[in-house]
Amino acid sequence: MPARRRAAVTIIAIGVALLAFPFVDRNNAQIDFMANAGAFILLALGLNIVVGFAGLLDLGYAAFFAIGSYSYAMLASQQFGIHIPFWVMLFVASGIAAIFGILLGAPTLRLRGDYLAIVTLGFGEIVPQTFLNLEKYTNGPNGISSLDQPSLFGKAFGFSATPYYYVTLVLIALGIVVASNLQNSRLGRAWMAIREDELAARHMGINTTAAKLSAFALGASFSGLAGVVYAAKLNLVSPDEFQFNVSVLVLSMLVLGGMGNIAGVIIGSFVLSFINSFLLPQSTSLAHAAGLVNLDFTNYRFMLYGVILVLMMLFRPEGLIPSRQRKAEFHEALSDPTLAAQEQAEYSGAAAAP
Amino acid sequence: MTPMLRLSEVRKVFGGLVALNDLSFEVAPGSIVAMIGPNGAGKSTVFNLITGVYQPTHGSIDLEGRSLRGLDTAAIASLGIARTFQNVRLFAFMSARDNVMTGRHARMRANLVDSLLHTPAQRAEEKSVRERARELLRFVGLEREADSYARNLPYGSQRRLEIARGLAGDPKLLLLDEPAAGMNPKEKESLIDLIGRIRARGVTIFLIEHDMQLVMNVSERVTVLDHGEKIAEGAPEVVRRDERVIEAYLGRADGAA
């Protein structure tokens, strides 16, 4: 199978290049950027389970990132004098995030589409606000600082970004395996069935409540992992890091890369991270060096996202590397009248169908 | 003999509208029973009550003597009732194979951990369900379309795929909601053949149909519904000559539909 072999060779080559990266590029800022990008890839992989697989539009995903980060900050710092090791916290925080995924998912079970989006948007606002206002426990706007440093075999991570880079690399590799395993499984099919037609899914004997809650829980657990790594590396958490724009950023990564497709999601998040944390700051410093002191490209970040999203919607709505079904959806749906007619009939007949 | 399906005085009221008025009938195991009636007679409501989409306002529905009262759609499906829909409701952006495999959901055992880790048991199960899906796709004549998206299949094939998906869970009872709708005569003929073959697998069939040719050809018993009430019941050739049935279909001078 040459196609499969080519894929394997590509994956190995990318893997080796990523492993070698910190040795080739010794600029700590750039390794730090890669580690941050890795955290966002984890977030995007998690959100892809909720939005891409199960079709549940979640606009408050940053809430789980916040919960993961704050879990580490509260359970591995001087804050309460609790010092759970970093490696254990990866499990603990993803578990905590998963539990909150279920808690926040449960009230939304009956909602779909726009309504679900609005409620999750609300949760996305409530969670950082709660961390902001629980000053007694979280130091409010100041956040929690001096978090415990991870160490491996007695050696502390220190201020180098390299160990964090490798940790995110391993977590992403695990995340890819988990996500693709899920996609090709009984549960993955149940999610996709719910995404396609919830009523028909119930007629297959799918417990839609359990399936949706497991999507919320598993999706959130990824951001628990991302939160721990992110907080430990930054050595600080504060509520303003988890605002609505983070949720939008991660969702944009999915849209850009191709919702439902794991490779697409990874590339989409890398490209946006690159623009966000590398291209814009770098071009700003270039501009400053050239004497354009008042120019700050990072201020145009959201305008740029907006332009990218509009261009994507116009020219490549299925994303850079779409999953097969998204491609089919966007390029054939409009030309096929039967599906539209069918949907019409369903909506008009759904309320009372004697 | 315990009937496969029994409806006893089932009533369904939507707001002020009585969609079904004390409907009672039975479907014997292994039989093919049809329900006919003009548009709006309440036929699809009967299916929606059997599958738990609606709960009856009054009356009871039993599957092999077991009451379905209070069970939700997923639980009823797991008991062995499969259905197709009047407007085909496939998982449009999933392959034909995945549609059929999803139909097996309730009979599969893989839990969250199995799905997450692809345990040996999960792999073995996936393999056997995949094989089974292949067999069912062949059974309905879609073996070559296994990888096509459900939405890309021609309409007649979509209807067949929906039947294959329904059969995937080894149902005792298969509900077919206007299976011949929109089919050309040739497709209809092979549908009649397919329905016979499904019964030969030991599946009881209860179908709603407008197409008289199909009803007269396949069904052993016919129940006729009009305005939510049963107006006739019996063998097809008897029902066909029933005056109330003719009246319900052709209407009278006073314009009763």
Side-chain angles (χ1 to χ4, degrees), chain A residues 181 186 189 197 332 342 354, chain B residues 45 88-89 110 116 118 126:
Chain A
N181 273 356
R186 176 175 184 243
R189 280 191 301 271
D197 188 329
E332 296 154 27
Q342 185 184 318
Chain B
T45 303
V88 181
R89 297 185 79 138
L116 211 65
H118 281 205
E126 282 286 305

Side-chain angles (χ1 to χ4, degrees), chain A residues 28-64:
Chain A
N28 193 54
Q30 284 172 15
I31 299 167
D32 185 73
F33 154 72
M34 289 292 277
N36 282 341
F40 273 91
I41 288 173
L42 276 176
L43 290 174
L45 282 172
L47 186 62
N48 185 48
I49 290 176
V50 183
V51 183
F53 293 170
L56 303 163
L57 183 53
D58 185 345
L59 290 183
Y61 189 63
F64 303 116

Side-chain angles (χ1 to χ4, degrees), chain A residues 280-291:
Chain A
L280 293 179
Q282 289 290 330
S283 40
T284 303
S285 26
L286 276 179
H288 286 188

